[in-house]
Each structure stands twice: as structure tokens, then as C-alpha cells.
Amino acid sequence: MSVNGHTRRQFMRLGLAGTAGVVSSELSTGPASASPEEASNVLEDADHPRFDPPASVRSVRSVCGVCFWKCGINVELNEDGTPLHISGSPGHPLSRGRLCPRGVGGIGFYEDPDRLLKPQIRTGERGEAVFRDASWDEANSEMGQRLREIIESDGPGAVAFLTHGAAEVHFEHLAAALGTGHHAHPAYDQCKAPREVGYKLTFGHALKSPEPVDIENTDCLVLIGSHLGENMHNLQVQEFITSQVNGSNLIVVDPRQSTAAQRADIWLQIKPGTDLALLLAWTNILIRDGKYDHEFVRDFTAGFELLSEHVAANTPEWASKETGLSVQEIEDSAAMIGAAGSHMALHPGRHVVWYGNDTQRARAMAILVAISGSWGSRGGYYLPQQAKLPTVEDVYPELPEFPELAERRDSGYPFALGVNVNGIRQATLDGKIKAWVVVGTNLITSLPAQHETIAALKKLDFLAVVDVLPTEITRYADVLLPAASYLERYDTLCSSHSRDPFVAVKAQATEPIGECRGEDQIARDIGAELGLRKYWLWDSVEQLSKDTIAHYNATETDFDQIEWDTLIQDGYVVVSHDRPIYREGHGLGSDGIERAGAELKFPAFDGGEGDGRVQLYSPDLDTLWRSKVAAGDDPTGYEPLPTYYRPQAPPPAHVRLLYGRSPVHTFGRTQNTPVLAGREDENSVWASPATAAAYGLEDDEWIEVINQDGVRQGPVRLKVTARMRDDAIYVTHGFGHNSRQLTRAYKRGVDDSALMTQYAVDPLSGGTGMRVNFVRLVKPNSA
């Protein structure tokens, strides 16, 4: 087939390279296996001219802090130390010398004129954003006094730390020193919690980041609601391009024709909320046709017979009625998966909190991975490597012992792998938690049910917020502290999962502007105010990093040594090469080097040995399900094998609200940064022609969006497109900010989070399902 003179694969190569290269072709993600000349040709074909940055006098290697991916960066600076340009760090294992548009535009965090520059203390009512400037000494003293009063009255468990990004480790240390068990990562429960629990219940391993999906070597990539090319997970986008250039098949399951779906061999425009029905039908077909990995199932799994019996009723005909897909579409996609065998890569997704049954959907995906034999197989899931850095307690054995943690008040989810932010919010509303310290996370727009979050904020006795920008939550702070951007501070060493174990340094590239401080210093100073300074035996993260490397070199026997000067010069050090990442007999590396022979280990969920097998039928869930039944409690969602339930139907005249990511923005964090705001300054509402006609609306018309509870957002442009189903609309997340201090982002577009007044909490993981809201579209100022 040809498209405007290009073959399908040429079209794929050009289109995806263009998607990844929004800001500058030098940093666009091209085929991972292509030479620089080949990549340049692709980018020139994609019509993105090469960008020549201003001349610099020196550069610093570090790690990008715009999102969680932790790409290696090279920061160019002029003679006075001002950052001029950010590019990819050559050869870095997680980015291979390339950056997405957000990484390039990250310099905007440094130069944003709306940045917080001084400590402030609230003088008005919470939410009014009325503050006075204060010195750091006064702000720290105010925090110390307010927190001490709460701790003396209600104990350390009345204090919660809610953090995001590199700051997490510093405030986790502070929480441990204080003795509170309430240190939560809110993004986890709004993103990947069900996935991690589902895979851990099945394989005994959570997937972590980056997901170990061998995309560049796969024969068939399956994406279920995963928007590669839009979410811009750097290395995976590069591998996605490579896999397409190399001719792999692509199946995309999505109610919307996403960037990836436009390029799919099979696009399944599924009815929202019915993905589990499709997964069960695929499993049914693979077992029916014998297209599963018989040896892997025999040697490494438990419960296959029970699984076979369970999915016997989940026929393609049954699934067709549930999903809105034809029987032929279900059969053809299953056949493509079966033909790929163990070289099938089913991407587990990242933002997977959709409908409240999300752990069970993740279990169904993990089961499909297992019976296909793609775990530990080239083109399926590789077995990631990680350099084991010593803990703070290892580095400083003289560190005082941490106090016993106060009782947690966030529980209720039996397999949650961390402190649950929904539980903390509820415990606050119940009066059990009295103080929050919020760092780098805008809880008002990142959590559903904004009314509940705001009610909790107003009920607190004390709220401290640490951030770079004046986001919505900063308006409620009692004490507001200006954080240095990631370019202006050292942070702890990075050793992410990868094909090759490595250590990277998060180095400071330039001096903080204004009175901003690094989050490590802020945490240490709060600790000092609370009489906990003895738990910091280092004066800077740079010193901690050096001491960590020294201890690593003195004790590590399995990996190569690390020279500090080399680490600073290159930004990273790979500490071992060519270790096995595939199971025996299942693959060469992409460079042709034999990388098979890795041992498969499948521990129990609690970390014990268990029976050493992949749990297709979960004994942990079996025990819990039986206890629910015996107690007369509702066992729905606790079944030992994934069980489909029909999703909630919309109210009359409403359609389901779906959302996703922009390739040039990170969640709601970057809409105010100068470069990236210029690339995309507002979102729009996608609706099908039939949906628009039903509401009496036309393409490019200004509209408003009203949800099932009467919450109204807009005005916003309507995009009428055949790429949407008739029973849903789509909005890009992160826009419509309500903080006047964000001068570029204020009221630009709609805030999808404000429309999420309803949510469904997954009973197993505590993940927050947010695709349970329904909306209707109206002309501005109409009922």
C-alpha cells in the first residue's frame, strides 16, 4: 500500500519521527537503530529543521526532571552560568542521546517569570493566595512551631507528607526521622498502582519504571489505551519507531484513534470500559487454538486448567456484544497475537486507573503475557538490570535508628504497595490527620473530586507547600516555600531499571535564582526545626552522592567500579555490559550479542519463595475472596481469576469523559513554561460527528462542558472528528488552570480534573479510577 507516494512503512517512519520532533529535530526521537545520518534524513523528511543553539562556554551532564523518565541531559551554559540550551546526553541508557519536546523545553522551569522566588506566609483566607514575604529563618521557624504543636497534641502520625519527583527521597527520610507512616506519592495511586499490583500478584514482580517491554525487537506490539507518540516516554517512542521500521505488527485498542492507532495494522475502536472482556476473549482464543506457549505454561505457571475453564464462556461472540467490536476483529487480532508467540509485546500501560476494576484488568494482561511465553523472551518482556546502590543506613552506619512508625490511617486496600493518598485525604476529612507537607505535586488538579481535596485542605490545622510555580494548591498554603528547579540543584543518584545497569548523577547545572532552595535542604531544615538534625550526617546531596559512590566502590563485587570524575563528566556510568536479559534459548540482543540465559524467579506477592510459579489463578485473591464470601461481604473485584462486569451506563444525553496526554506537556506541570506554552497553549474537546450533531454543535465552535453533577468547564474549542466513538468525548489533560498567578496557563482550555467529581477506587490496589464521569456539550452560557 502507498500513501502519497510513500510505502506504509516509510509513512510510519516519517510520521512518528515528526510526532517526536516537535521542538527540534536534533533532539527528536528517531529510529533507535539508525545512524545519525539516517536519523537526520528522517527528521528532514519530517520537515523539522535542525536547531543550532546559542554558543556556550561550558556544559553540565545531568538528568531531566520534567517527567519521571529520567533521561540524560546536557545543559549548555554561557559565561555567567545562565542555561542556554538542553540536549540529550550521548549514549545515556534511558534516552540514547535524544530528548522529547518537554525535555528541550524544560529550560522554561528555570526562566519562567511566574516562579516562586521567596518564602511566603499566608495572611488571607485559605485559597485566596494572599501572602506576605518572609525570610527563610522566619518561614522555617513558623513551620517548626506549627508542626511541633500538632505532634505534641496528636502524635507524629497526624502529619502527612505528599510528594512527587526527586523530592520524594528527601521527605521520605524526614518522615522516617519524625516517625510518621504517612508519606505518600499521589501520582502512584492516580497512575500505575493497579498495574504494579496486578503483575505482582501474577509474576511476583512489580514492573517499575521504565516498563521492561522489548518494543524494538518485538514481532507484534499491543497497546491497550497506551498513547505512545503522545505520552512521549522517550526511549519507548524511539523503540516504537524502530519496531515499525523493522516491520513489526501493531494492534491498538482505544476508543479514540490516537497517534499510534492511526498507524496500527489493527485498530480496535472498543466501547469504553470493556477492555477486560476483550482480554478474556483473546485468552479464550489462544487456548482454544493451542496458540499459547505450552512449555512455559507447563514449566512455569500454576492454575492453567482453572484459567481454561474460567474463560471458556468468554467467546469472541460474547465479547463482540460487550465491546462493540466485530467477531472478525477479535479473531483477527487474536490470530496476530498468537502468530507472534513469545515475541509479542503487550504493553502494560502506565496511567491505568480507569474504571475501578483496574487491578483485575492488569491481571488479565499479565496472564496473557504469561501464556504467550513472552516473559523473559526477546520481543516480549526483557528481565531488567539495576545497579544496587547502598542505602543511607549503609553509607552512614552511625546514623541513629529511626523511631517506630506511628499507626497508619490510610489503609483499606489489601494489596496496596504504598501509602494511599485517597486514604490520607479521607483521614484528614475525618480529623485524624492535621497537617500536610506537600512537595512538587498540585493535588487540586492531580486528584479527582476537587471538592473533597479542597475540603480537606480547609480542614487542616497546617499546610506547607514547596513548589517551583504558583500552582492551585499553593493558594491554600500557610507557609509557601520556593523550590529550586531541577537545573539548580543536586539530587540523589539515579539507577533505574534498564537493559544494562547504570548509575547517573543529577548534577546542579546553575545557581538558584531568587531565594529558591533545593528540596534536600528544605527537608533538612524542617528536620532541624523539629529537633531531628541528627538524622542528617551530610550537608549536601553532592556530599551524600560522593559518599554513596565511595561506599559502593568499597563493597560492590558484582558490578564495575565508578569513578566520580567520570560520572560527573559523562553524567552516567554503565556498570556492567551484556548480562542476560532473556531466559535460556530466547534471544540475542539488538546488537547481535547473546543475552539469553537469565534465571526466571517468581516469588510470592509478599516476597517469600512461594511455589516459584506464575500465578494464573491467584492464591492470594482466592483466600481474600473466600473470606469475603464467608463474612457475607460483597466479593466483587476480589476474584482469583479476572472477571468481567459490564461498565456503568451514562445518564441520558451524556457521553463518557476520556482524557490523555500531550506530547509537549507533562501532566499539568508545563502549561505555563514559556517555550512549551507556545507550542500548545490550550486543549480542545474531541467529539464524533454524530455526537456533535446530537448536541447541535459544529466543528471549531466554542462550547462548554457540563458533567453529571453540574460542574461546568469552558469555553473551549470543539474538534469534530471521525477519530472518536459516539459514546465518548476526549480532552487532553493538564489545561484550564485556575491559579491567576500562572499567567500563561490561567483559564486556557478546560480542566478535565474539575469534571472528575466521581471516582471508583480499585478495591485491591487503592488506585483511583477516573473514567467514570459523564458529560454533555452545550453552547456557552446555555443550560
Side-chain angles (χ1 to χ4, degrees):
M1 185 185 77
S2 66
V3 182
N4 296 331
H6 295 296
T7 67
R8 177 182 177 277
R9 294 302 176 189
Q10 288 172 331
F11 177 74
M12 181 76 67
R13 180 170 174 166
L14 300 180
L16 285 177
T19 298
V22 177
V23 176
S24 78
S25 67
E26 179 182 23
L27 304 168
S28 300
T29 47
S33 59
S35 68
E37 292 77 18
E38 290 172 327
S40 178
N41 290 337
V42 170
L43 296 167
E44 288 172 10
D45 285 341
D47 212 17
H48 291 97
R50 184 171 294 278
F51 171 65
D52 293 320
S56 62
V57 296
R58 67 183 181 91
S59 64
V60 173
R61 297 282 173 84
S62 188
V63 172
C64 183
V66 178
C67 84
F68 66 89
W69 200 262
K70 302 177 183 176
C71 298
I73 59 174
N74 187 56
V75 185
E76 304 283 342
L77 305 132
N78 69 8
E79 62 277 358
D80 65 4
T82 300
L84 299 173
H85 176 62
I86 302 175
S87 58
S89 177
H92 190 281
L94 296 186
S95 47
R96 298 176 180 172
R98 300 182 182 276
L99 292 182
C100 74
R102 300 175 299 191
V104 179
I107 202 166
F109 279 110
Y110 171 81
E111 60 188 19
D112 193 324
D114 293 335
R115 279 187 63 175
L116 300 170
L117 298 177
K118 295 182 178 181
Q120 295 178 303
I121 294 175
R122 179 172 61 84
T123 57
E125 295 297 317
R126 281 208 181 124
E128 291 181 344
V130 178
F131 300 96
R132 65 173 176 84
D133 290 344
S135 67
W136 274 101
D137 286 345
E138 182 184 11
N140 285 333
S141 177
E142 176 76 6
M143 284 188 65
Q145 178 181 340
R146 300 284 294 275
L147 289 173
R148 283 194 302 272
E149 290 173 354
I150 292 168
I151 293 165
E152 289 169 3
S153 172
D154 298 277
V159 179
F161 295 89
L162 302 126
T163 63
H164 181 76
E168 291 174 348
V169 65
H170 308 304
F171 286 87
E172 189 171 68
H173 186 82
L174 173 57
L178 180 61
T180 177
H182 295 133
H183 177 231
H185 312 313
Y188 176 80
D189 295 319
Q190 322 311 312
C191 190
K192 63 180 182 177
R195 182 198 79 185
E196 299 297 85
V197 172
Y199 272 73
K200 191 172 175 62
L201 282 167
T202 309
F203 290 102
H205 302 282
L207 294 178
K208 302 185 180 179
S209 298
E211 299 83 12
V213 188
D214 199 17
I215 296 173
E216 66 184 353
N217 295 312
T218 193
D219 290 344
C220 178
L221 175 62
V222 183
L223 303 176
I224 299 182
S226 183
H227 302 152
L228 280 181
E230 296 174 16
N231 57 26
M232 295 308 297
H233 298 164
N234 187 346
L235 184 57
Q236 288 188 355
V237 175
Q238 295 185 46
E239 293 193 17
F240 183 24
I241 296 168
T242 300
S243 71
Q244 292 296 291
V245 171
N246 291 340
S248 71
N249 289 318
L250 174 63
I251 299 170
V252 176
V253 182
D254 203 316
R256 177 180 69 100
Q257 192 179 40
S258 63
T259 299
Q262 284 185 301
R263 294 155 171 82
D265 296 277
I266 299 177
W267 169 41
L268 301 175
Q269 194 176 23
I270 196 168
K271 179 181 179 181
T274 65
D275 309 83
L276 180 52
L278 176 63
L279 288 161
L280 294 173
W282 278 347
T283 304
N284 169 295
I285 294 169
L286 294 184
I287 294 174
R288 180 198 71 190
D289 296 347
K291 295 294 187 180
Y292 60 91
D293 189 320
H294 293 255
E295 290 186 2
F296 188 91
V297 167
R298 180 195 65 208
D299 296 341
F300 297 108
T301 74
F304 182 74
E305 293 77 12
L306 292 170
L307 172 67
S308 300
E309 294 172 8
H310 180 71
V311 300
N314 302 131
T315 64
E317 292 76 15
W318 166 83
S320 176
K321 295 175 183 177
E322 296 297 328
T323 63
L325 304 172
S326 71
V327 171
Q328 195 62 52
E329 286 177 310
I330 297 170
E331 290 277 8
D332 289 348
S333 53
M336 186 173 286
I337 290 170
S342 64
H343 306 300
M344 182 273 296
L346 172 57
H347 197 294
R350 186 168 182 90
H351 178 84
V352 298
V353 284
W354 298 350
Y355 304 109
N357 65 339
D358 305 302
T359 297
Q360 291 287 15
R361 187 181 67 252
R363 278 264 299 142
M365 295 172 75
I367 288 168
L368 196 62
V369 168
I371 68 170
S372 71
S374 61
W375 187 270
S377 178
R378 185 175 189 269
Y381 279 60
Y382 65 86
L383 305 174
Q385 307 290 308
Q386 185 177 29
K388 296 295 190 286
L389 291 174
T391 66
V392 169
E393 292 87 346
D394 294 331
V395 177
Y396 303 106
E398 67 275 28
L399 193 72
E401 185 175 347
F402 289 122
E404 183 177 347
L405 295 182
E407 180 185 1
R408 277 173 48 179
R409 295 158 178 159
D410 70 298
S411 58
Y413 311 105
F415 297 102
L417 297 176
V419 180
N420 184 267
V421 68
N422 300 303
I424 285 180
R425 182 170 65 181
Q426 187 58 53
T428 303
L429 291 169
D430 293 341
K432 298 175 181 177
I433 292 178
K434 303 294 183 67
W436 289 4
V437 178
V438 178
V439 186
T441 177
N442 185 11
L443 297 177
I444 291 178
T445 61
S446 62
L447 301 182
Q450 292 184 2
H451 60 287
E452 291 185 14
T453 303
I454 291 171
L457 291 172
K458 290 183 175 180
K459 188 160 186 176
L460 289 168
D461 290 349
F462 179 70
L463 172 66
V465 178
V466 181
D467 215 319
V468 176
L469 291 170
T471 61
E472 282 79 357
I473 195 169
T474 65
R475 300 170 61 85
Y476 293 81
D478 296 303
V479 174
L480 178 57
L481 302 177
S485 73
Y486 71 95
L487 297 175
E488 301 164 306
R489 65 177 191 254
Y490 264 93
D491 264 312
T492 50
L493 298 167
C494 167
S495 63
S496 297
H497 284 73
S498 179
R499 289 178 174 86
D500 294 303
F502 72 97
V503 174
V505 62
K506 301 174 186 176
Q508 180 178 342
T510 189
E511 291 298 316
I513 64 173
E515 297 179 24
C516 298
R517 289 184 177 178
E519 289 152 332
D520 64 301
Q521 182 180 353
I522 294 172
R524 188 169 61 249
D525 288 347
I526 295 173
E529 289 290 337
L530 298 177
L532 305 172
R533 185 62 177 85
K534 64 183 179 180
Y535 290 99
W536 280 263
L537 301 183
W538 57 94
D539 294 321
S540 68
V541 180
E542 182 179 12
Q543 179 193 342
L544 172 60
S545 298
K546 288 181 177 179
D547 292 346
T548 299
I549 293 300
H551 189 278
Y552 167 93
N553 287 335
T555 58
E556 178 58 54
T557 59
D558 199 29
F559 293 124
D560 297 342
Q561 299 282 285
I562 299 172
E563 295 292 335
W564 177 259
D565 291 345
T566 302
L567 184 61
I568 291 296
Q569 175 181 311
D570 297 339
Y572 70 94
V573 173
V574 175
V575 295
S576 181
H577 296 79
D578 305 327
R579 289 183 172 228
I581 58 173
Y582 306 122
R583 55 193 167 95
E584 189 65 44
H586 280 264
L588 300 173
S590 57
D591 53 6
I593 297 173
E594 178 65 45
R595 302 202 63 178
E599 181 183 2
L600 293 182
K601 295 181 179 180
F602 302 111
F605 184 87
D606 62 7
E609 291 186 6
D611 63 7
R613 288 180 170 266
V614 179
Q615 303 301 325
L616 305 178
Y617 183 97
S618 170
D620 295 295
L621 290 176
D622 179 84
T623 300
L624 185 57
W625 181 81
R626 290 178 186 277
S627 69
K628 292 282 183 182
V629 172
D633 296 333
D634 183 5
T636 302
Y638 298 89
E639 295 86 355
L641 284 164
T643 302
Y644 171 77
Y645 296 95
R646 191 167 291 165
Q648 176 187 3
H654 286 67
V655 293
R656 192 178 296 272
L657 172 64
L658 302 178
Y659 53 87
R661 307 299 186 208
S662 163
V664 298
H665 287 295
T666 298
F667 314 123
R669 297 183 62 207
T670 57
Q671 283 75 7
N672 203 69
T673 58
V675 174
L676 299 179
R679 300 300 306 186
E680 184 179 8
D681 61 355
E682 61 186 15
N683 53 7
S684 60
V685 171
W686 291 32
S688 74
T691 300
Y695 290 120
L697 303 171
E698 297 181 356
D699 184 43
D700 206 36
E701 184 175 356
W702 288 102
I703 65 165
E704 292 182 341
V705 186
I706 305 175
N707 81 348
Q708 70 279 332
D709 295 317
V711 173
R712 195 178 195 114
Q713 280 283 300
V716 63
R717 292 277 189 186
L718 176 65
K719 177 178 179 176
V720 179
T721 172
R723 294 167 63 184
M724 280 300 302
R725 281 181 58 96
D726 297 338
D727 53 4
I729 60 105
Y730 172 86
V731 177
T732 303
H733 172 69
F735 292 85
H737 280 277
N738 197 37
S739 172
R740 292 181 181 275
Q741 286 71 32
L742 297 172
T743 57
R744 290 177 187 80
Y746 179 64
K747 296 296 186 184
R748 300 303 299 265
V750 294
D751 176 11
D752 59 315
S753 297
L755 296 167
M756 298 176 193
T757 50
Q758 302 292 322
Y759 58 97
V761 180
D762 183 274
L764 302 176
S765 67
T768 314
M770 292 177 273
R771 295 186 180 178
V772 295
N773 289 274
F774 302 94
V775 298
R776 55 190 178 92
L777 310 180
V778 300
K779 294 180 183 293
N781 302 315
S782 62

